Amino acid sequence: MKYIMMVFFVIIFSGCVTTKIPAKSEYRINTNIKMTKSEATGCKEKSLKVAQAFSSGTLMSNSMMYAKGDLKQYAYAESLWAQSPNSVITSKFLKLIRETNLFKSVQVSKSRSRNDFILEINIEDFMQYFNASATHSHANVSVNLTLIDIKSNRVFASHSFEAKVDAKSLNAQGGVEALNTALNKILNDTNTWISGACK
């Protein structure tokens, strides 16, 4: 009877013990570019709509992915994006182009207004990469931008941008910092490119 009571109490109290699950870290895409005002006036009377970016499904979720070696891809178990990369990157390009003051107006993709141009954004790569032995890591960001004349449905200007930045630490935080730096470089290059397209 004594042993039965001991087993009973062990079962009762073991049910009260909770396993503490570590909190997941949420990371933001955060860029800070130095705007250079352009003297270009070719688009001053034109309106622009920035379309929602095209991307793979992984960039439309909050899961933070990384690649190892040539073939394998994984998700970080305890790290997430605060917002999906697709939506944040779209908003970064929208903010950038608005601040250039190159266009009469710049609208979001859901706007019902009529516009002269539409900017298509194709995110081809936005990921942290490790070598097979996980001794080195880098971020790679690749984006293609296409400015389309809506009336003629022709490409007005198009350009591909790519940036590769080594990660300072072999973890999610190191990857996020490197991705932010790479995206920042592409946004700076976009500022120069779109100013030239509007001359």
Side-chain angles (χ1 to χ4, degrees), residues 99-130:
E99 290 180 355
T100 62
N101 292 322
L102 288 168
F103 295 87
K104 180 173 63 176
S105 66
V106 180
Q107 307 299 327
V108 297
S109 60
K110 293 182 180 179
S111 172
R112 295 181 181 180
S113 64
R114 292 183 178 181
N115 297 277
D116 300 295
F117 291 107
I118 187 166
L119 180 70
E120 291 185 350
I121 306 164
N122 183 23
I123 308 169
E124 296 169 347
D125 197 8
F126 188 83
M127 191 176 291
Q128 180 182 12
Y129 290 86
F130 289 86

Short mmCIF file of all heavy atoms in Angstrom, two decimals, residues 99-130:
data_model
loop_
_atom_site.label_atom_id
_atom_site.label_comp_id
_atom_site.label_asym_id
_atom_site.label_seq_id
_atom_site.Cartn_x
_atom_site.Cartn_y
_atom_site.Cartn_z
N GLU A 99 10.56 58.69 -51.66
CA GLU A 99 11.50 59.69 -51.14
C GLU A 99 12.39 60.29 -52.22
O GLU A 99 13.00 61.34 -52.01
CB GLU A 99 12.34 59.08 -50.02
CG GLU A 99 11.54 58.81 -48.76
CD GLU A 99 12.37 58.22 -47.64
OE1 GLU A 99 13.56 57.92 -47.87
OE2 GLU A 99 11.82 58.04 -46.54
N THR A 100 12.47 59.64 -53.38
CA THR A 100 13.29 60.21 -54.47
C THR A 100 12.62 61.45 -55.08
O THR A 100 13.30 62.28 -55.69
CB THR A 100 13.52 59.20 -55.60
OG1 THR A 100 12.26 58.84 -56.18
CG2 THR A 100 14.24 57.95 -55.10
N ASN A 101 11.30 61.53 -54.94
CA ASN A 101 10.52 62.64 -55.55
C ASN A 101 10.69 62.70 -57.07
O ASN A 101 10.56 63.77 -57.66
CB ASN A 101 10.91 64.00 -54.94
CG ASN A 101 10.48 64.11 -53.49
OD1 ASN A 101 9.40 63.64 -53.12
ND2 ASN A 101 11.31 64.71 -52.66
N LEU A 102 10.95 61.56 -57.68
CA LEU A 102 11.11 61.51 -59.13
C LEU A 102 9.76 61.49 -59.86
O LEU A 102 9.67 61.90 -61.00
CB LEU A 102 11.91 60.27 -59.53
CG LEU A 102 13.41 60.30 -59.21
CD1 LEU A 102 14.01 58.92 -59.39
CD2 LEU A 102 14.13 61.31 -60.07
N PHE A 103 8.72 60.98 -59.16
CA PHE A 103 7.41 60.83 -59.77
C PHE A 103 6.40 61.78 -59.15
O PHE A 103 6.54 62.19 -57.99
CB PHE A 103 6.92 59.38 -59.62
CG PHE A 103 7.75 58.38 -60.37
CD1 PHE A 103 8.87 57.81 -59.77
CD2 PHE A 103 7.45 58.00 -61.66
CE1 PHE A 103 9.65 56.88 -60.44
CE2 PHE A 103 8.21 57.08 -62.35
CZ PHE A 103 9.32 56.53 -61.74
N LYS A 104 5.37 62.09 -59.90
CA LYS A 104 4.31 62.96 -59.40
C LYS A 104 3.62 62.31 -58.21
O LYS A 104 3.30 62.97 -57.23
CB LYS A 104 3.29 63.23 -60.52
CG LYS A 104 2.14 64.12 -60.13
CD LYS A 104 1.27 64.48 -61.33
CE LYS A 104 0.62 63.26 -61.93
NZ LYS A 104 -0.29 63.59 -63.05
N SER A 105 3.41 60.99 -58.29
CA SER A 105 2.82 60.24 -57.18
C SER A 105 3.28 58.79 -57.25
O SER A 105 3.57 58.28 -58.34
CB SER A 105 1.29 60.31 -57.20
OG SER A 105 0.78 59.64 -58.34
N VAL A 106 3.35 58.16 -56.10
CA VAL A 106 3.75 56.75 -56.01
C VAL A 106 2.71 56.03 -55.17
O VAL A 106 2.50 56.37 -54.00
CB VAL A 106 5.15 56.58 -55.39
CG1 VAL A 106 5.53 55.10 -55.32
CG2 VAL A 106 6.19 57.35 -56.19
N GLN A 107 2.04 55.03 -55.76
CA GLN A 107 0.93 54.35 -55.10
C GLN A 107 1.27 52.91 -54.75
O GLN A 107 2.13 52.28 -55.37
CB GLN A 107 -0.31 54.37 -56.02
CG GLN A 107 -0.71 55.73 -56.52
CD GLN A 107 -1.06 56.69 -55.40
OE1 GLN A 107 -1.59 56.29 -54.37
NE2 GLN A 107 -0.77 57.97 -55.61
N VAL A 108 0.54 52.38 -53.75
CA VAL A 108 0.69 50.97 -53.35
C VAL A 108 -0.01 50.08 -54.37
O VAL A 108 -0.83 50.54 -55.18
CB VAL A 108 0.11 50.73 -51.95
CG1 VAL A 108 0.87 51.53 -50.90
CG2 VAL A 108 -1.38 51.06 -51.91
N SER A 109 0.26 48.80 -54.31
CA SER A 109 -0.28 47.86 -55.31
C SER A 109 -1.80 47.77 -55.29
O SER A 109 -2.43 47.53 -56.32
CB SER A 109 0.32 46.46 -55.08
OG SER A 109 -0.02 45.99 -53.79
N LYS A 110 -2.41 47.99 -54.13
CA LYS A 110 -3.87 47.86 -54.03
C LYS A 110 -4.62 49.14 -54.41
O LYS A 110 -5.85 49.17 -54.38
CB LYS A 110 -4.26 47.43 -52.61
CG LYS A 110 -3.80 46.02 -52.27
CD LYS A 110 -4.24 45.62 -50.87
CE LYS A 110 -3.77 44.19 -50.55
NZ LYS A 110 -4.18 43.78 -49.19
N SER A 111 -3.89 50.18 -54.75
CA SER A 111 -4.53 51.43 -55.12
C SER A 111 -5.35 51.26 -56.40
O SER A 111 -4.92 50.60 -57.34
CB SER A 111 -3.48 52.52 -55.33
OG SER A 111 -4.07 53.69 -55.87
N ARG A 112 -6.52 51.91 -56.44
CA ARG A 112 -7.39 51.84 -57.62
C ARG A 112 -7.11 52.98 -58.61
O ARG A 112 -7.76 53.08 -59.65
CB ARG A 112 -8.85 51.88 -57.19
CG ARG A 112 -9.28 50.67 -56.37
CD ARG A 112 -10.74 50.77 -55.99
NE ARG A 112 -11.16 49.63 -55.19
CZ ARG A 112 -12.38 49.45 -54.71
NH1 ARG A 112 -13.31 50.37 -54.96
NH2 ARG A 112 -12.68 48.40 -53.98
N SER A 113 -6.18 53.81 -58.27
CA SER A 113 -5.89 54.95 -59.14
C SER A 113 -5.23 54.50 -60.44
O SER A 113 -4.57 53.47 -60.50
CB SER A 113 -4.96 55.93 -58.41
OG SER A 113 -3.71 55.32 -58.15
N ARG A 114 -5.43 55.31 -61.49
CA ARG A 114 -4.77 55.05 -62.77
C ARG A 114 -3.37 55.61 -62.73
O ARG A 114 -3.16 56.71 -62.22
CB ARG A 114 -5.58 55.67 -63.91
CG ARG A 114 -6.92 55.00 -64.14
CD ARG A 114 -7.62 55.60 -65.33
NE ARG A 114 -8.89 54.93 -65.60
CZ ARG A 114 -9.70 55.25 -66.59
NH1 ARG A 114 -9.38 56.25 -67.41
NH2 ARG A 114 -10.83 54.60 -66.77
N ASN A 115 -2.44 54.86 -63.29
CA ASN A 115 -1.04 55.28 -63.24
C ASN A 115 -0.38 55.15 -64.61
O ASN A 115 -0.88 54.44 -65.48
CB ASN A 115 -0.29 54.42 -62.21
CG ASN A 115 -0.82 54.59 -60.81
OD1 ASN A 115 -0.46 55.52 -60.11
ND2 ASN A 115 -1.71 53.70 -60.39
N ASP A 116 0.73 55.85 -64.75
CA ASP A 116 1.48 55.81 -66.01
C ASP A 116 2.44 54.63 -66.07
O ASP A 116 2.66 54.04 -67.12
CB ASP A 116 2.26 57.12 -66.19
CG ASP A 116 1.34 58.32 -66.23
OD1 ASP A 116 0.55 58.40 -67.18
OD2 ASP A 116 1.41 59.16 -65.31
N PHE A 117 3.01 54.31 -64.90
CA PHE A 117 3.99 53.22 -64.83
C PHE A 117 3.62 52.25 -63.70
O PHE A 117 2.94 52.62 -62.74
CB PHE A 117 5.39 53.76 -64.55
CG PHE A 117 6.00 54.54 -65.67
CD1 PHE A 117 6.12 55.92 -65.58
CD2 PHE A 117 6.47 53.91 -66.81
CE1 PHE A 117 6.68 56.65 -66.61
CE2 PHE A 117 7.04 54.62 -67.85
CZ PHE A 117 7.14 56.00 -67.75
N ILE A 118 4.11 51.03 -63.84
CA ILE A 118 4.06 50.07 -62.74
C ILE A 118 5.46 49.49 -62.56
O ILE A 118 6.16 49.22 -63.55
CB ILE A 118 3.02 48.95 -63.01
CG1 ILE A 118 2.88 48.07 -61.77
CG2 ILE A 118 3.37 48.11 -64.24
CD1 ILE A 118 1.67 47.16 -61.80
N LEU A 119 5.88 49.38 -61.32
CA LEU A 119 7.19 48.80 -61.02
C LEU A 119 6.99 47.37 -60.53
O LEU A 119 6.34 47.14 -59.50
CB LEU A 119 7.92 49.61 -59.95
CG LEU A 119 9.31 49.06 -59.57
CD1 LEU A 119 10.30 49.24 -60.71
CD2 LEU A 119 9.83 49.73 -58.30
N GLU A 120 7.54 46.41 -61.27
CA GLU A 120 7.49 45.01 -60.85
C GLU A 120 8.79 44.65 -60.15
O GLU A 120 9.88 44.96 -60.64
CB GLU A 120 7.26 44.09 -62.05
CG GLU A 120 5.88 44.24 -62.66
CD GLU A 120 5.61 43.24 -63.78
OE1 GLU A 120 6.57 42.56 -64.21
OE2 GLU A 120 4.45 43.15 -64.21
N ILE A 121 8.65 43.99 -59.00
CA ILE A 121 9.81 43.58 -58.19
C ILE A 121 9.83 42.06 -58.13
O ILE A 121 8.85 41.44 -57.70
CB ILE A 121 9.71 44.15 -56.75
CG1 ILE A 121 9.53 45.67 -56.78
CG2 ILE A 121 10.92 43.75 -55.94
CD1 ILE A 121 9.04 46.24 -55.46
N ASN A 122 10.92 41.47 -58.56
CA ASN A 122 11.06 40.02 -58.49
C ASN A 122 12.23 39.69 -57.55
O ASN A 122 13.39 39.95 -57.88
CB ASN A 122 11.31 39.43 -59.87
CG ASN A 122 11.37 37.92 -59.86
OD1 ASN A 122 10.83 37.28 -58.96
ND2 ASN A 122 12.02 37.34 -60.84
N ILE A 123 11.90 39.15 -56.37
CA ILE A 123 12.95 38.78 -55.41
C ILE A 123 13.43 37.38 -55.77
O ILE A 123 12.75 36.39 -55.52
CB ILE A 123 12.41 38.80 -53.96
CG1 ILE A 123 11.74 40.14 -53.65
CG2 ILE A 123 13.54 38.53 -52.97
CD1 ILE A 123 10.95 40.15 -52.35
N GLU A 124 14.60 37.30 -56.35
CA GLU A 124 15.12 36.02 -56.83
C GLU A 124 15.85 35.26 -55.73
O GLU A 124 15.90 34.02 -55.74
CB GLU A 124 16.04 36.26 -58.03
CG GLU A 124 15.28 36.85 -59.22
CD GLU A 124 16.18 37.34 -60.33
OE1 GLU A 124 17.41 37.47 -60.10
OE2 GLU A 124 15.67 37.63 -61.42
N ASP A 125 16.42 35.97 -54.78
CA ASP A 125 17.13 35.32 -53.68
C ASP A 125 17.18 36.26 -52.48
O ASP A 125 17.40 37.46 -52.63
CB ASP A 125 18.55 34.94 -54.11
CG ASP A 125 19.18 33.91 -53.18
OD1 ASP A 125 18.47 33.37 -52.31
OD2 ASP A 125 20.39 33.63 -53.33
N PHE A 126 16.94 35.69 -51.30
CA PHE A 126 17.05 36.45 -50.06
C PHE A 126 17.25 35.42 -48.96
O PHE A 126 16.31 35.01 -48.29
CB PHE A 126 15.78 37.29 -49.81
CG PHE A 126 15.89 38.25 -48.66
CD1 PHE A 126 16.50 39.49 -48.83
CD2 PHE A 126 15.40 37.91 -47.42
CE1 PHE A 126 16.60 40.38 -47.76
CE2 PHE A 126 15.50 38.79 -46.33
CZ PHE A 126 16.09 40.02 -46.51
N MET A 127 18.51 34.98 -48.80
CA MET A 127 18.76 33.87 -47.89
C MET A 127 20.18 33.88 -47.35
O MET A 127 21.10 34.42 -47.96
CB MET A 127 18.50 32.54 -48.59
CG MET A 127 18.48 31.34 -47.66
SD MET A 127 18.06 29.79 -48.49
CE MET A 127 16.34 30.07 -48.88
N GLN A 128 20.33 33.25 -46.20
CA GLN A 128 21.64 33.03 -45.59
C GLN A 128 22.17 31.67 -46.04
O GLN A 128 21.42 30.68 -46.04
CB GLN A 128 21.53 33.06 -44.06
CG GLN A 128 22.85 32.83 -43.33
CD GLN A 128 22.68 32.82 -41.82
OE1 GLN A 128 21.56 32.75 -41.31
NE2 GLN A 128 23.79 32.87 -41.10
N TYR A 129 23.43 31.62 -46.42
CA TYR A 129 24.04 30.38 -46.90
C TYR A 129 25.21 29.97 -46.01
O TYR A 129 26.02 30.81 -45.61
CB TYR A 129 24.55 30.56 -48.34
CG TYR A 129 23.45 30.68 -49.36
CD1 TYR A 129 22.85 31.92 -49.63
CD2 TYR A 129 22.98 29.56 -50.04
CE1 TYR A 129 21.83 32.03 -50.56
CE2 TYR A 129 21.96 29.66 -50.98
CZ TYR A 129 21.39 30.90 -51.23
OH TYR A 129 20.37 31.01 -52.14
N PHE A 130 25.30 28.67 -45.72
CA PHE A 130 26.44 28.09 -45.02
C PHE A 130 27.16 27.14 -45.96
O PHE A 130 26.52 26.49 -46.80
CB PHE A 130 25.98 27.29 -43.79
CG PHE A 130 25.45 28.12 -42.65
CD1 PHE A 130 24.13 28.52 -42.62
CD2 PHE A 130 26.29 28.51 -41.61
CE1 PHE A 130 23.63 29.28 -41.58
CE2 PHE A 130 25.81 29.27 -40.56
CZ PHE A 130 24.48 29.66 -40.54
#
